[in-house]
Amino acid sequence: MRVGILGGGQLARMLALAGYPLGLDFTVLEPAQDACAGPLTQHLRAEYTDAEALQALAGEADCITYEFENVPAESVTRLDRQVHVYPPPHALAAARDRFLEKTLFNQLEIETAPFADVQDLDSLRAAVEQVGLPAVLKTRTLGYDGKGQAVIREEGELEKAWESIGAVPAILEGFVEFEREVSLVSVRSREGEVAFYPLARNHHSEGILRRSLSLDGDPAQQLAEQYAQRMLERLDYVGVLAIEFFQIGHHLLANEMAPRVHNSGHWTIEGAVTSQFENHLRAILGLPLGDTSSTGHAAMVNLIGELPDTRELLRLPGAHLHLYGKAPRAGRKIGHVTLVEEDRRILQVKLQRLEELVHGRGGESRS
Ligand SMILES: Nc1ncnc2c1ncn2[C@@H]1O[C@H](COP(=O)(O)OP(=O)(O)O)[C@@H](O)[C@H]1O
Ligand SMILES: [Mg+2]
């Protein structure tokens, strides 16, 4: 069976790595010549709107998925007429627009920060009245890794914030003084079978995920699963869905969802019985889902911007190094390292060493 993937970055690469043992083949549609999934897959090098390339992809793939939310909706709809596209296009439409996404969360009685639609400076002023300050202005679409966002602390900063995000349709949301950020990776099969991974606790800095820790038996797990279950059912979802939450006390405020495999689930490659990548493939191909239990306490640290001394990383017992084959560039995710330990204290000690190696002695990038 051949899986088509829109996008040829590291998520496509890890999907392919998970799929080969199952006997799957992959074609990626991706405009960049040096796409990091390219060497592992059949690479259709064309724009996502290229009619001929879409036709070729639909012709050879038994099932199509995507690795990022910003694939043009028309391309997905067009493919969906010829071959199964999972997660379903309406889920993509809901998740790619922050206003629709948060509206849907609230319809399902899933808490969020207060938010308001922003179309211009006047509506931004009205939104500030409604939401209060401090607040975060975010573009409705196309944002990732903290891009397309501006924190507003005072009324005087409105214009600057509006210009800085490019004066495009946006939402304003209340700034949340959260205690923790957690995310839930869930998966639903074509038959409606559902499974959840243990929550991950996430640490961001400058809007970019730096580190995720798996949380076994966390008290917030049950509520997060209830919320995810509602969303999976509402969307008649197929594939992996990740939901990011801000936690305050017993409350989980949904921040955003990703209709795809997610960075905060990379620990599942070594830390769970079945990885999120394999389970996404199983789900979209109509296969039984695999066990989502963790095999120990896991920590995942992203390699961002520059490559640390990989020989030193590999010297760390039990460190699993994943390099994506991407050229280092400031703010760019070029790999990650995962540790899995039975003993949480041993994990902490090794994680500290790992972060020293990744960020330098002081661990500046820690948040
Ligand atoms: N309303 C908010 N209050 C506090 N922190 C926020 C808020 N929105 C975003 N952040 C911080 O910025 C990070 C990235 O924002 P997010 O909305 O998840 O966008 P992206 O699509 O770039 O991941 C979040 O994980 C969180 O750490
Ligand atoms: Mg996010």
Side-chain angles (χ1 to χ4, degrees):
M1 268 197 288
R2 183 169 288 274
V3 176
I5 307 176
L6 295 165
Q10 65 264 25
L11 300 180
R13 180 178 166 111
M14 288 185 272
L15 282 168
L17 286 168
Y20 286 125
L22 298 177
L24 304 175
D25 291 305
F26 294 86
T27 302
V28 299
L29 173 60
E30 155 72 59
Q33 177 156 29
D34 61 351
C36 73
L40 283 79
T41 58
Q42 182 150 327
H43 183 181
L44 273 173
R45 197 181 153 217
E47 296 300 325
Y48 298 115
T49 48
D50 185 312
E52 241 174 77
L54 291 168
Q55 192 55 46
L57 186 65
E60 60 184 54
D62 298 289
C63 176
I64 290 177
T65 190
Y66 41 88
E67 61 144 25
F68 69 121
E69 289 91 316
N70 298 317
V71 285
E74 317 80 69
S75 303
V76 172
T77 312
R78 190 183 183 131
L79 289 167
D80 195 45
R81 276 190 230 118
Q82 300 179 62
V83 56
H84 288 297
V85 177
Y86 295 122
H90 61 264
L92 176 67
R96 72 199 299 272
D97 180 317
R98 293 187 194 276
F99 184 76
L100 300 182
E101 174 181 63
K102 286 209 157 63
T103 304
L104 180 57
F105 280 131
N106 287 175
Q107 278 170 3
L108 295 174
E109 296 184 7
I110 299 170
E111 285 189 89
T112 62
F115 66 96
D117 187 26
V118 173
Q119 294 294 334
D120 48 34
L121 257 178
D122 280 341
S123 56
L124 176 55
R125 284 191 194 96
V128 168
E129 289 296 308
Q130 188 186 329
V131 167
L133 290 180
V136 190
L137 184 64
K138 301 180 180 178
T139 58
R140 279 178 66 151
T141 60
L142 303 174
Y144 69 99
D145 284 350
K147 293 185 175 65
Q149 298 192 16
V151 176
I152 303 177
R153 299 197 178 274
E154 298 163 24
E155 299 261 354
E157 296 171 346
L158 293 191
E159 230 160 296
K160 201 178 89 204
W162 175 243
E163 294 303 325
S164 80
I165 65 153
V168 292
I171 69 166
L172 186 75
E173 50 181 68
F175 189 91
V176 180
E177 296 290 350
F178 53 79
E179 288 157 20
R180 317 193 290 182
E181 286 196 82
V182 295
S183 57
L184 186 73
V185 175
S186 55
V187 57
R188 186 170 181 273
S189 75
R190 274 155 74 160
E191 284 70 40
E193 188 190 353
V194 169
F196 304 100
Y197 286 92
L199 280 170
R201 177 170 186 185
N202 303 321
H203 297 260
H204 294 80
S205 91
E206 291 152 9
I208 307 179
L209 182 69
R210 306 286 160 166
R211 179 212 310 154
S212 291
L213 302 172
S214 70
L215 299 172
D216 243 340
D218 192 84
Q221 181 82 28
Q222 201 188 354
L223 181 60
E225 287 187 9
Q226 279 171 15
Y227 284 168
Q229 180 90 36
R230 273 180 222 167
M231 187 58 84
L232 291 170
E233 277 169 19
R234 165 62 73 96
L235 295 172
D236 196 13
Y237 197 86
V238 175
V240 160
L241 175 76
I243 308 184
E244 299 176 13
F245 298 99
F246 301 134
Q247 186 175 1
I248 307 172
H250 297 304
H251 294 266
L252 291 177
L253 310 188
N255 171 36
E256 62 171 351
M257 61 179 173
R260 54 171 169 81
V261 286
H262 194 252
N263 194 172
S264 70
H266 289 1
W267 65 268
T268 62
I269 296 174
E270 291 91 6
V273 178
T274 315
S275 77
Q276 63 164 347
F277 299 97
E278 181 175 335
N279 258 337
H280 182 70
L281 295 169
R282 289 184 184 220
I284 66 174
L285 292 168
L287 301 170
L289 297 182
D291 187 351
T292 50
S293 315
S294 58
T295 56
H297 301 291
M300 187 279 325
V301 173
N302 272 336
L303 304 179
I304 295 165
E306 56 184 335
L307 194 59
D309 185 339
T310 50
R311 296 183 72 87
E312 285 298 316
L313 288 178
L314 290 170
R315 261 191 202 107
L316 194 63
H320 299 280
L321 175 63
H322 296 254
L323 296 179
Y324 306 151
K326 288 161 79 175
R329 193 197 300 152
R332 193 180 206 199
K333 291 172 181 168
I334 54 173
H336 72 267
V337 184
T338 304
L339 295 166
V340 185
E341 292 294 333
E342 242 173 79
D343 186 322
R344 202 188 286 271
R345 282 162 309 175
I346 294 177
L347 180 71
Q348 277 308 327
V349 172
K350 286 194 180 178
L351 177 59
Q352 192 175 348
R353 176 71 188 133
L354 172 60
E355 295 205 313
E356 283 168 7
L357 291 171
V358 172
H359 305 308
R361 291 256 148 217
E364 309 90 337
S365 293
R366 289 222 230 156
S367 52

